Amino acid sequence: MKKRILVADDELNIIKFLRSNLEAGGFEVMAATDGALAINTFEKELPDLVILDIMMPKIDGFEVCRRLREWTQTPIIMLSARGDEGDKIKSLDLGADDYITKPFGAGELIARVNAVLRRSEVGANQPTGPAYTRDDLVINFAKRQVSVAGNEIKLTPTEYNLLQELVLNAGKVLTHIYLLNKVWGPEYREETEYLHVFARRLRLKLEPNPAVPKYLITVPGVGYQFQNAA
């Protein structure tokens, strides 16, 4: 079955460009021209991915992203005409999976969409061994479930994939380039801010004190390490 993508943008020429190229890439496309309509369309259609412009009438893209992340882990790609680092970080902090600055080419669009969808799918090599346990943290690899003190923690697919890679290599220092290539793909080898934001998001969800992490440790200038013990 074709993957279904919701495109939300108030510029009709952008919608036309996205629809044309995504349909040529084998996707089914639906569109919304403001934030409120984007939310309503998502709730009715439950697409596989959302491409969401930041600057939209009624409800902006930041707020749409925030509201969707309250109940769904469907991948979200944010669009912006501003190459503002702050907008990118805010988008990722709110739970977006990727960020594309306008203008962009059809090749970049399709590559990013395929990369995000690839990360959202459970791979054939998904670990099925015993759960990982340390203190109150439990990770059930077979079910892709994470809990802290008995409470299930909701992670986006990318958050989970990053955590899994770190835990399966617990005790090892994994470099920025290795993690970006392994979790995000070769297209993201230079996107170190993605890694920093997602590491911060994991700490906020998993660590007893995110400011003083005991699981996910930064190795300055190199990468990250998941510690097996204190």
Side-chain angles (χ1 to χ4, degrees), residues 98-139:
D98 206 346
Y99 180 100
I100 303 177
T101 302
K102 300 175 185 177
F104 51 86
E108 178 186 4
L109 169 69
I110 298 300
R112 294 279 180 147
V113 166
N114 284 329
V116 169
L117 287 172
R118 183 176 65 243
R119 295 198 301 272
S120 71
E121 296 173 351
V122 179
N125 296 322
Q126 180 69 19
T128 57
Y132 176 91
T133 302
R134 182 186 163 195
D135 302 331
D136 291 333
L137 174 65
V138 178
I139 303 170

Side-chain angles (χ1 to χ4, degrees), residues 7 13-27 29 106 109-110:
V7 172
N13 61 326
I14 295 294
I15 289 180
K16 183 178 179 181
F17 172 82
L18 291 170
R19 183 189 295 277
S20 174
N21 285 283
L22 289 169
E23 288 180 346
F27 300 101
V29 179
L109 169 69
I110 298 300

Side-chain angles (χ1 to χ4, degrees), residues 4-8 15 19 28-32 41-42 45-47:
R4 303 165 68 244
I5 299 177
L6 170 61
V7 172
I15 289 180
R19 183 189 295 277
E28 181 181 334
V29 179
M30 59 201 76
T41 303
F42 184 93
E45 301 292 341
L46 297 176

Side-chain angles (χ1 to χ4, degrees), residues 43-207:
E43 291 173 345
K44 291 178 182 178
E45 301 292 341
L46 297 176
D48 299 294
L49 182 143
V50 181
I51 298 177
L52 186 61
D53 187 41
I54 290 177
M55 302 300 292
M56 287 191 296
K58 297 187 179 179
I59 304 174
D60 69 23
F62 290 134
E63 180 62 13
V64 174
C65 182
R66 187 192 68 79
R67 292 190 191 184
L68 292 181
R69 275 294 171 260
E70 289 179 346
W71 64 279
T72 179
Q73 303 305 322
T74 297
I76 297 172
I77 297 176
M78 302 293 282
L79 300 180
S80 177
R82 304 184 302 183
D84 188 291
E85 190 76 8
D87 282 355
K88 179 185 288 189
I89 299 302
K90 183 175 181 180
S91 297
L92 297 174
D93 274 338
L94 286 171
D97 297 86
D98 206 346
Y99 180 100
I100 303 177
T101 302
K102 300 175 185 177
F104 51 86
E108 178 186 4
L109 169 69
I110 298 300
R112 294 279 180 147
V113 166
N114 284 329
V116 169
L117 287 172
R118 183 176 65 243
R119 295 198 301 272
S120 71
E121 296 173 351
V122 179
N125 296 322
Q126 180 69 19
T128 57
Y132 176 91
T133 302
R134 182 186 163 195
D135 302 331
D136 291 333
L137 174 65
V138 178
I139 303 170
N140 186 319
F141 294 117
K143 296 182 178 179
R144 288 176 68 94
Q145 289 181 346
V146 179
S147 63
V148 175
N151 299 311
E152 185 175 351
I153 305 300
K154 296 296 184 182
L155 300 180
T156 68
T158 304
E159 288 171 347
Y160 179 86
N161 292 341
L162 175 58
L163 177 64
Q164 176 180 275
E165 191 63 32
L166 288 161
V167 171
L168 291 177
N169 291 280
K172 300 178 182 178
V173 177
L174 303 182
T175 67
H176 297 131
I177 290 177
Y178 172 86
L179 287 168
L180 287 165
N181 187 67
K182 187 75 174 181
V183 177
W184 278 265
E187 309 94 335
Y188 296 81
R189 287 170 61 90
E190 304 300 323
E191 303 279 8
T192 53
E193 69 270 30
Y194 280 52
L195 184 54
H196 298 328
V197 170
F198 276 79
R200 182 166 67 249
R201 279 164 50 176
L202 282 177
R203 285 176 176 144
L204 288 171
K205 293 183 177 184
L206 304 179
E207 299 277 4

